[in-house]
């Protein structure tokens, strides 16, 4: 028992440092705030009742997403059909250590974008290929094109409603590597997909619990992307670590509170 207690004490030191345990730890406070209790459900999920009463609000909520309708649209080709079995894709998926500098096609990129977070028209309304808390879809995808055939190098936003990409600006490959804290690992990549969250699109309904739903949804989305990449023999690696403010500056229009990048896929050959 004393041996177990000694190891437990060491773990506490690793997590909290040498300071005394506090009662205002930010991570613990957030997790507590995101819990749902039966006695307080009315304010734990403040927007549920209002959303249920308003058909108009329901329609607006299910058409979420950043829009750049004032900019020219690059229409994506139809997604490719893959014949690889799901078992084979799961077995073959790897987080690649380094890329070889080859290019990918626009059709391959389209397959990953539309197959992971594209729009699916259903009788109950527009949906995406992954589950989302309340079907609110609070995520947006930004593409960093480095070596994609028929697509200029630059930063793009994926528009699932119009099935295309909108060119937002330029970027530096060297700066991108520094932002990802992995200059050598991401060198010679073909493209990257930055998952951005607009927290308010879920929080208005689910309160603090929304953050759990958003991060879970980002995981569903990333899994779709890496499996679709593997099915097309594209190497990939997901990254959760990056310099937040610098990545926000790269994609633009984010303040780090209402919206922020939360996950990134880097892919290539």
């Amino acid at each position: 028992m004393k041996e177990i207690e000694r190891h437990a004490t060491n773990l506490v030191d690793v997590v909290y440092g040498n300071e005394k345990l506090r009662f205002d730890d930010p991570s613990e406070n957030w997790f507590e705030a995101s819990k749902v209790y039966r006695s307080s459900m009315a304010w734990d999920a403040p927007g549920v009742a209002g959303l249920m009463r308003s058909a108009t609000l329901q329609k607006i909520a299910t058409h979420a997403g950043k829009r750049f309708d004032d900019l020219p649209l690059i229409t994506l080709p139809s997604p490719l059909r893959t014949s690889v079995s799901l078992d084979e894709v799961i077995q073959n998926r790897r987080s690649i250590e380094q890329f070889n500098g080859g290019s990918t096609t626009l059709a391959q990129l389209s397959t990953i974008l539309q197959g992971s977070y594209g729009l699916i028209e259903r009788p109950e309304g527009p949906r995406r290929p992954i589950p989302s808390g309340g079907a609110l879809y609070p995520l947006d995808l930004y593409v960093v094109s480095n070596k994609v055939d028929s697509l200029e190098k630059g930063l793009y936003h994926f528009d699932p409603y119009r099935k295309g990409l909108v060119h937002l600006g330029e970027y530096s490959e060297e700066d991108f590597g520094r932002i990802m804290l992995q200059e050598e690992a991401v060198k010679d990549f073909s493209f990257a997909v930055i998952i951005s969250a607009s927290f308010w699109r879920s929080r208005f309904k689910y309160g603090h619990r929304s953050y759990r739903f958003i991060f879970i949804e980002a995981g569903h989305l990333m899994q779709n992307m890496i499996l679709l990449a593997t099915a097309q023999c594209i190497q990939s690696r997901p990254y959760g670590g990056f310099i937040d403010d610098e990545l926000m500056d790269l994609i633009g229009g984010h303040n780090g509170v209402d919206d922020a990048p939360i996950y990134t896929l880097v892919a290539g050959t």
Side-chain angles (χ1 to χ4, degrees):
M1 179 63 73
K2 289 184 178 181
E3 184 70 11
I4 294 176
E5 290 176 353
R6 183 174 67 84
H7 285 298
T9 302
N10 290 341
L11 181 58
V12 169
D13 288 341
V14 169
V15 174
Y16 295 97
N18 294 321
E19 62 180 303
K20 294 182 179 180
L21 292 183
R22 298 179 300 167
F23 292 100
D24 62 345
D25 179 73
S27 298
E28 293 179 0
N29 288 347
W30 168 76
F31 190 71
E32 182 61 37
S34 69
K35 292 179 181 178
V36 174
Y37 293 96
R38 190 173 299 278
S39 59
S40 59
M41 287 184 67
W43 54 88
D44 287 335
V48 173
L51 192 61
M52 293 296 292
R53 290 194 299 265
S54 173
T56 301
L57 188 56
Q58 291 173 30
K59 185 175 182 179
I60 293 173
T62 56
H63 285 77
K66 290 182 181 290
R67 306 296 293 270
F68 297 90
D69 295 342
D70 57 322
L71 297 176
L73 182 76
I74 301 170
T75 302
L76 287 169
S78 298
L80 302 171
R81 299 299 295 268
T82 59
S83 58
V84 186
S85 72
L86 179 60
D87 287 343
E88 186 176 349
V89 171
I90 291 174
Q91 289 296 321
N92 290 338
R93 190 217 64 81
R94 298 288 187 278
S95 291
I96 195 69
E97 297 290 339
Q98 201 163 21
F99 300 105
N100 295 322
S103 65
T104 55
T105 69
L106 186 58
Q108 288 176 316
L109 175 59
S110 174
T111 302
I112 292 172
L113 295 174
Q114 298 198 64
S116 62
Y117 214 54
L119 196 68
I120 300 175
E121 293 292 351
R122 292 178 177 164
E124 65 271 26
R127 295 291 187 268
R128 309 289 180 94
I130 62 171
S132 176
L136 297 175
Y137 305 108
L139 306 179
D140 281 278
L141 302 185
Y142 293 83
V143 176
V144 182
S145 172
N146 192 42
K147 297 178 180 181
V148 179
D149 297 340
S150 303
L151 187 65
E152 292 183 9
K153 182 176 179 178
L155 175 72
Y156 298 83
H157 176 261
F158 171 55
D159 189 328
Y161 299 97
R162 297 190 291 165
K163 296 180 172 57
L165 296 173
V166 175
H167 184 243
L168 299 179
E170 308 303 323
Y171 83 100
S172 162
E173 184 177 350
E174 292 74 20
D175 288 345
F176 180 71
R178 286 191 288 269
I179 290 170
M180 298 306 297
L181 303 171
Q182 297 284 345
E183 290 92 337
E184 289 302 315
V186 305
K187 183 180 179 181
D188 291 326
F189 73 103
S190 172
F191 64 87
V193 181
I194 301 167
I195 302 176
S196 163
S198 291
F199 300 109
W200 58 269
R201 289 189 342 221
S202 181
R203 185 169 176 174
F204 88 94
K205 180 178 181 181
Y206 293 115
H208 295 299
R209 189 75 170 197
S210 63
Y211 288 82
R212 293 201 205 186
F213 294 155
I214 290 170
F215 295 136
I216 290 170
E217 183 170 335
H220 294 319
L221 171 51
M222 181 62 73
Q223 183 74 349
N224 270 16
M225 289 199 292
I226 60 179
L227 292 181
L228 286 165
T230 303
Q232 300 179 91
C233 298
I234 297 173
Q235 307 287 354
S236 66
R237 188 181 189 93
Y239 286 92
F242 43 78
I243 305 299
D244 289 75
D245 60 339
E246 295 178 11
L247 190 57
M248 283 190 292
D249 287 342
L250 174 67
I251 61 180
H254 291 65
N255 62 24
V257 177
D258 300 307
D259 41 26
I262 58 174
Y263 211 179
T264 298
L265 174 74
V266 183
T269 58

